[in-house]
Amino acid sequence: MTKKTNIFGSLKSDFASGLVVFLVALPLCLGIAMASGAPLFSGIIAGVIGGIVVGYFSKSHVSVSGPAAGLTAIVLTAITDFGAFNIFLTAVFFAGFIQLALGFLKAGSISNYFPTNVIEGMLAGIGVIIILKQLPHAVGYDADFEGDEAFTQVDGGNTFSSLLGAFDYIQFGAVIITIVSLVILIAWDRVPALKKMKLVPGALVAVVLGVILNELFIASGSTLAIRKEHLVSLPVAASFEDFKSIFLFPDFSAITNSKVWVVAFTIAIVASIESLLCIEAADRLDPQKRYSDTNNELKAQGIGNIVSSLLGGLPMTSVVVRTSANVNAGAKSKMSAIIHGVLLLISVLAIPFILNKIPLATLAAVLLMVGYKLAKPATIMHFWEKGKYQFAPFIATLLAVVFLDLLKGVALGMIISIIFILRGNLKRAYYFRKEEYESGDVIHIDLAQEVSFLNKAAIKLTLSNLPEDSKVVINASDTVYIAHDVIDLIKEFKQINAVEKNIDVTLIGFKEAYELDNTQYENNHVFMEHDALIKYRNNSISSHKAAIEELTTN
């Protein structure tokens, strides 16, 4: 059940966390716009709308929306194919309506089927990506754009080559600012007296000190001074005409272009899946463990993309990096996301020249802390200790997210989880044991509570391999449900195969297992827990009873 939260009741902590997310989101919005081949301000517009509009309509307490790195390839390809950004905006507009429709169709419910270990693996993978991608920025090597999450980069290199190349371009001024920023952030996180200063987040102190240090380097003419290309680069509107030119509008004359609809559906599906994954991750990260309405989230994302397209903004999703920074900064409600959007709007209008003094190195330090908290070694050890069935999907998701992308990583983790579920289901359907008696071998097969058609192959193989002249006891005393296929298989074995091989078959509990009333077995040894299951079984009980009656009397 969703816990209600007064969004104004924790304004003090939400303002501080909103400020931190604003600092993190600013370069990410610009970097993703640049990588998408879109106007730089389109990323800022999407960030503002993601914060204010989606933040207002969303019922998620801690998630933050904005332009997503996972959409850059789709956006870049679409803009190139259309040859006009405003035609692309038309596709984003209709993508928003498609997401809105998905919300009303309750498509968000699919998020309930994402396993916890896969979601945790996704978060840890994002954490590793953040660390690997921010280390070059931390030493002053900014060849790759902010917000890039892909292993293979647009410049032809990859995450590791960029990391190694950074050693050839180390700027000691950036290194000093990164180290100072990390010390401040760690101290703010661990020193009790500093942790109480919630209104002044450590990230803000680190950013301010980073700016001051670099200004001192510049004033002194030191070689440690960080050059302009390694600072935040926000476009500055010199006049009202420049400001008006920021806003672009969809070209609705392209509505008959089939490619527009293909791009619209592609963006809607990919953005919706990424948002649902992030919402599940946000609920896992939320210290208060509140649940979000995923269907409402799809509606909120749809409204956000409609508004963003009408103002010339990029498509958006709920984003793990911003959400993680939000939670780590102490966000209590969605007011934090709204505040971050308001700050983005105010800053680009009023103080862009001040923001352009922020070194990317100090923002890299903030993100390095976020990445570490997502990919703590303790998290990896936690799943290792849970055993291979929990660890394998977790680590597979983590590695695939790092080396492929978020959606492929989650898909791989889901596939492995399903394989393990099926394998475990097959194994646990029955317990096979063999005991030696003076009169001969007696083989016991104890069926589990649930025996579905998926177990048919394994049971069939076991029965076919039973030795001649043996005795077998098939026990269904603890069984709640047996599929028709398995009943038929056992009946055929008892009446035909066992006779041919001179196998003495004893059945226990089969008749009792289906002598049901509405709530319990006749012998009261199992109570039904699920109404839907009861209804199904009661509807099929007559045919089951007939089959079992025949099985136990022949």
Side-chain angles (χ1 to χ4, degrees), residues 198-341:
K198 293 183 179 180
L199 191 60
V200 183
L204 177 61
V205 177
V207 168
V208 170
L209 194 54
V211 171
I212 293 173
L213 279 175
N214 192 49
E215 289 299 309
L216 291 175
F217 293 154
I218 294 172
S220 64
S222 171
T223 56
L224 297 176
I226 298 176
R227 296 188 298 274
K228 182 180 178 180
E229 58 266 29
H230 304 296
L231 305 175
V232 169
S233 180
L234 186 65
V236 179
S239 65
F240 181 70
E241 291 300 321
D242 288 343
F243 177 72
K244 284 201 305 182
S245 66
I246 292 171
F247 301 100
L248 301 173
F249 306 98
D251 179 5
F252 290 110
S253 65
I255 191 172
T256 56
N257 186 339
S258 61
K259 290 183 179 179
V260 168
W261 289 98
V262 171
V263 172
F265 274 97
T266 303
I267 291 173
I269 299 302
V270 174
S272 296
I273 293 173
E274 287 205 12
S275 292
L276 291 176
L277 287 168
C278 181
I279 289 298
E280 286 298 306
D283 288 349
R284 294 286 303 167
L285 292 170
D286 184 4
Q288 298 183 46
K289 300 303 176 187
R290 294 163 291 188
Y291 297 110
S292 303
D293 184 339
T294 50
N295 295 313
N296 183 82
E297 185 64 25
L298 289 180
K299 297 174 188 176
Q301 293 293 332
I303 294 170
N305 277 322
I306 291 170
V307 176
S308 181
S309 68
L310 291 174
L311 295 176
L314 290 174
M316 71 191 72
T317 70
S318 184
V319 187
V320 173
V321 178
R322 293 172 178 82
T323 300
S324 304
N326 195 34
V327 173
N328 291 332
K332 296 291 191 297
S333 76
K334 63 181 184 178
M335 180 55 73
S336 175
I338 296 173
I339 289 170
H340 122 273

Side-chain angles (χ1 to χ4, degrees), residues 380-445:
I380 299 173
M381 290 307 301
H382 169 73
F383 281 96
W384 172 263
E385 291 168 358
K386 280 193 169 186
K388 63 182 179 181
Y389 292 108
Q390 287 292 315
F391 182 73
F394 167 82
I395 199 67
T397 304
L398 188 160
L399 294 173
V401 166
V402 173
F403 292 105
L404 298 174
D405 61 44
L406 186 147
L407 294 182
K408 291 176 183 174
V410 170
L412 179 62
M414 291 285 289
I415 290 170
I416 293 174
S417 294
I418 291 170
I419 290 171
F420 280 161
I421 289 170
L422 295 177
R423 188 164 178 253
N425 189 283
L426 293 173
K427 280 189 171 184
R428 288 189 288 272
Y430 63 93
Y431 176 68
F432 177 85
R433 54 195 169 93
K434 180 178 176 182
E435 297 177 4
E436 293 287 343
Y437 287 87
E438 291 182 1
S439 57
D441 288 345
V442 178
I443 298 170
H444 293 260
I445 299 176

